[in-house]
Amino acid sequence: MDLAVIWFIAISVLWIGYFILEGFDFGVGTLLPFMGGRDSVDRRVTINSIGPVWDANEVWLLTAVGATFAAFPAWYASLLSGFYVPVFVILIALILRGVAFEYRGKRDGSAWRAWWDRAIFFGSAAPAFLWGVAFANIVRGVAMDADQIVTAGLLDLLNPYALLGGLTTLSLFTLHGAVFLTLKTDGPVRVRARTAALWAACVAVPAAAGFLAWTQFAHGEAWTLPVAAVAAVALVGGVVAVLLRHERLSFTLTAVTVLTAFTALFGSLFPNVLPSTTDPAFSLTVANASSAEYTLTVMSWVAVFFLPLVLAYQGWSYWVFRQRVTGATVTGTPAGPGTEHEPAA
């Protein structure tokens, strides 16, 4: 196995890690309008559940994009130019979302918070949908000429397969976020999140089943079939675990769903990194899109040294902030005798 293949696998792992971790962030942000009134403590509980980790989760995106730029510059260039509009919208959404988290509590007033809550919702739902559209098109392929310049327009990217991919990631991340809220919060938010998880599952299960089946029959390899089957089983198991109120198990299973679903996508893509629908000979592959051997060697040594440190730090931060968030912890007041509470599952 040469270094180019190793770095394709490494970049796949980075993207999968990003979607597992940032996926529940997106889900929590998408569910924010449904977790209570505009000035309610419940919305603060919802936001605080991801407050310590959301920006660290985005490090996986920065690392994935940076690794793609260094290891596969041709892939990076074609993606950023050919997918300019969706990538631009994603960046704007992520910026608005980050600013909203920081500024929402800077002033009192329902109107002020309402605008920032809308920014959090848009900054979560738009990337959750558009990442699915983008990766579906990456697997499906786009119109690209002999110079690896993407000639597809925006309407070409909004094909039925890609739109189904977007619906799948949006509903799956919403489900993942709702399950995270049942695990991370208590009181009314926890109850609402359990209901939201079941509603999200009504969309996520059929959408994911259809998208995985379409991917497997149109683009899949023999070994991706059992991986896709594991994703489907894990998704159904996660929903059943929600019904049985096994919250740790349900969150684990939805995370496994994201992991295996995107593993099937990247497996269906290999050895291409961006197929051309104009002519297969114009496709970008692991071999013709990679950097020089020396660059990949230097990157490998850097990754071997720094990656364990980053993983250790992020694991430590999750451990430190592992406690449930409640209205009492947000307001700094003790819970009264009428406060709703459920035992941890």
Side-chain angles (χ1 to χ4, degrees):
M1 185 181 298
D2 61 25
L3 285 177
V5 175
I6 291 174
W7 271 102
F8 175 82
I9 296 172
I11 290 170
S12 302
V13 170
L14 290 170
W15 278 110
I16 292 170
Y18 170 68
F19 288 130
I20 291 173
L21 297 175
E22 191 78 335
F24 69 74
D25 284 355
F26 289 149
V28 170
T30 302
L31 290 170
L32 180 62
F34 311 101
M35 290 296 111
R38 290 190 299 182
D39 288 322
S40 71
V41 172
D42 295 338
R43 286 203 180 187
R44 293 174 60 191
V45 170
T46 302
I47 294 171
N48 284 18
S49 70
I50 59 173
V53 298
W54 70 267
D55 49 353
N57 292 342
E58 289 190 350
V59 172
W60 288 77
L61 172 62
L62 299 176
T63 308
V65 172
T68 303
F69 171 76
F72 299 98
W75 187 17
Y76 176 90
S78 294
L79 283 178
L80 268 292
S81 59
F83 292 69
Y84 180 83
V85 174
V87 170
F88 180 78
V89 174
I90 288 172
L91 289 177
I92 293 298
L94 293 178
I95 292 170
L96 285 175
R97 178 170 169 263
V99 173
F101 283 139
E102 297 296 331
Y103 277 81
R104 184 184 189 273
K106 297 298 183 183
R107 280 176 51 185
D108 291 328
S110 58
W112 173 266
R113 292 194 180 96
W115 278 108
W116 292 120
D117 286 349
R118 294 187 190 103
I120 292 173
F121 173 79
F122 171 75
S124 302
F129 177 77
L130 290 175
W131 280 130
V133 171
F135 274 86
N137 276 298
I138 291 172
V139 173
R140 174 182 176 270
V142 292
M144 188 162 53
D145 62 22
D147 296 320
Q148 281 82 46
I149 297 174
V150 176
T151 58
L154 177 61
L155 294 180
D156 297 318
L157 300 179
L158 300 178
N159 55 79
Y161 175 70
L163 292 175
L164 179 59
L167 179 62
T168 299
T169 51
L170 175 59
S171 58
L172 180 57
F173 291 163
T174 302
L175 170 61
H176 195 36
V179 172
F180 175 80
L181 284 173
T182 67
L183 183 64
K184 185 63 177 174
T185 66
D186 209 345
V189 173
R190 187 180 180 189
V191 175
R192 292 191 190 102
R194 186 178 296 119
T195 302
L198 297 176
W199 279 108
C202 293
V203 179
V205 171
F211 181 67
L212 288 172
W214 193 339
T215 301
Q216 181 61 38
F217 289 120
H219 312 287
E221 303 290 337
W223 70 269
T224 61
L225 177 59
V227 177
V230 170
V233 171
L235 179 56
V236 174
V239 176
V240 173
V242 171
L243 288 169
L244 298 177
R245 303 192 178 188
H246 295 309
E247 292 158 354
R248 291 186 179 88
L249 177 60
S250 60
F251 182 74
T252 300
L253 289 174
T254 54
V256 169
T257 302
V258 177
L259 185 153
T260 49
F262 278 94
T263 298
L265 282 181
F266 280 105
S268 301
L269 177 63
F270 184 83
N272 294 316
V273 292
L274 188 61
S276 170
T277 58
T278 305
D279 187 333
F282 300 160
S283 298
L284 285 171
T285 68
V286 170
N288 66 22
S290 65
S291 294
E293 189 81 5
Y294 178 77
T295 301
L296 297 177
T297 301
V298 172
M299 290 176 59
S300 300
W301 283 110
V302 172
V304 166
F305 180 77
F306 284 104
L307 184 59
L309 298 178
V310 173
L311 293 176
Y313 171 77
Q314 190 157 24
W316 173 80
S317 66
Y318 271 89
W319 174 256
V320 169
F321 296 104
R322 67 189 181 278
Q323 294 85 2
R324 287 182 182 270
V325 182
T326 66
T329 60
V330 167
T331 60
T333 58
T339 302
E340 185 175 1
H341 177 77
E342 298 182 52

